[in-house]
Amino acid sequence: MDRLLAAWRAEPSRTGSLIISVYGDAIAPRGGEVGLADLIELLGGLGIGGGVVRTAVSRLLRDGWLQRHRVGRNSFYQLAKPGRAVFAEAARRIYGPLDTPWGGRLRLALPDAGADRAGLEAAGYVLLAPGVLVAPDSAAPPGSDALHLLASAEDDAMRTLAARVWPLTQVADRYTAFLDLFTPLDGNVPCPAPADALRARVLLIHEYRRAALRDPHLPAALLPADWPGTAARRLCARLYAALLPGSERALDAMANRSGPLPRPGPDLYSRFSDGDRRPAAPAWSPAR
């Protein structure tokens, strides 16, 4: 834990982003709402002061990421509707299946001059040349206002093209940094106290999220042979499974407006289900 905290503290402050990771990973499966006091206690264990947490929460509230409910002098926060929508998409990329469907071809989109490309970019298309965007054939076809072509080539040529138009080097560097930080824990996770398990889980997902959300998630045939994203994904799955039981015990002690947080649903235990092993639902009963 000390090693993880030292790496966290060496990075520029990003408390707001970390809070979003906490809500999306740990709080959303348990109803999505937690008290500010519990959030301050959790992040305090990462060396983040209560004043810093309050400032970050206020900023997220102002920017529409969180919404607040008061009960007497206590404040409870949950992801607002835009935040829930953003993290639902993020969850698919973080916890969803690793393999990407691939029909062996690329889809070229040629939108009309001046057309809005936001929809194409959201679907995974990137600029190949002026007026031409490209995506794997697993991407949805462009709308009716854009011409599109299906192109094929030798595997080496398509990998060269992928490396040219997608930021694979930068994403690989992030995955490598994740592996360097967390590989020493692989197969060496003791039974930490619940609070430490939760903090380690938060840091694990937050660091993995930084790479996974920048990853274009291309089919394996378009990636370099030594792509570190595969190893990073499997490592994250193993460590997540090891930390899950203890971290869930820590969440049992937290509360929303109605009392203790509710039990998580089965979706929590299907996360990383394509990893080396699937997180198992705990046999313990949460304290109430």
Side-chain angles (χ1 to χ4, degrees):
M1 193 66 191
D2 290 342
R3 185 172 181 272
L4 296 181
L5 288 176
W8 158 257
R9 290 165 183 159
E11 294 284 340
S13 176
R14 50 182 191 276
T15 304
S17 178
L18 185 67
I19 289 172
I20 295 299
S21 292
V22 170
Y23 271 93
D25 178 70
I27 307 304
R30 286 174 169 260
E33 182 184 75
V34 72
L36 179 61
D38 284 323
L39 189 62
I40 288 174
E41 182 178 354
L42 168 60
L43 298 184
L46 299 177
I48 304 172
V52 175
V53 175
R54 289 186 181 91
T55 298
V57 167
S58 295
R59 186 175 296 115
L60 292 169
L61 183 66
R62 184 185 67 229
D63 293 344
W65 285 94
L66 296 178
Q67 60 188 42
R68 177 178 59 195
H69 302 278
R70 291 187 185 273
V71 179
R73 299 180 62 184
N74 298 316
S75 294
F76 297 87
Y77 292 86
Q78 64 186 122
L79 288 175
K81 186 175 181 180
R84 292 196 298 271
V86 168
F87 204 89
E89 173 61 20
R92 182 184 66 81
R93 297 172 67 83
I94 295 169
Y95 311 109
L98 182 63
D99 293 334
T100 301
W102 172 237
R105 294 186 293 181
L106 295 173
R107 194 181 297 278
L108 305 180
L110 291 78
D112 294 337
D116 184 3
R117 299 176 179 176
L120 288 171
E121 292 169 353
Y125 288 80
V126 294
L127 189 66
L128 172 63
V132 182
L133 291 89
V134 62
D137 58 11
S138 54
S144 59
D145 59 343
L147 296 174
H148 71 99
L149 304 170
L150 289 174
S152 61
E154 296 293 333
D155 288 349
D156 287 346
M158 285 200 282
R159 278 193 291 269
T160 298
L161 178 63
R164 182 181 301 168
V165 299
W166 279 280
L168 298 183
T169 299
Q170 296 92 319
V171 174
D173 288 345
R174 286 190 176 273
Y175 279 131
T176 299
F178 174 87
L179 288 166
D180 290 343
L181 181 59
F182 287 98
T183 293
L185 293 178
D186 195 14
N188 191 35
V189 177
C191 294
D196 283 340
L198 179 56
R199 290 169 186 137
R201 170 181 161 186
V202 166
L203 293 179
L204 175 77
I205 288 300
H206 186 68
E207 293 302 317
Y208 183 73
R209 168 180 170 240
R210 295 178 70 202
L213 296 188
R214 291 170 172 82
D215 188 345
H217 292 268
L218 297 176
L222 295 178
L223 295 171
D226 57 350
W227 180 244
T230 304
R233 166 58 181 250
R234 290 173 177 164
L235 173 64
C236 191
R238 291 193 297 272
L239 294 180
Y240 196 81
L243 293 167
L244 194 60
S247 62
E248 287 297 306
R249 289 187 177 93
L251 290 166
D252 289 336
M254 295 186 181
N256 60 21
R257 285 172 289 166
S258 303
L261 296 182
R263 288 288 301 271
D267 287 352
L268 174 67
Y269 303 101
S270 66
R271 289 175 171 178
F272 298 110
S273 58
D274 62 327
D276 285 356
R277 62 191 178 109
R278 178 174 177 161
W284 44 268
S285 297
R288 282 290 182 264

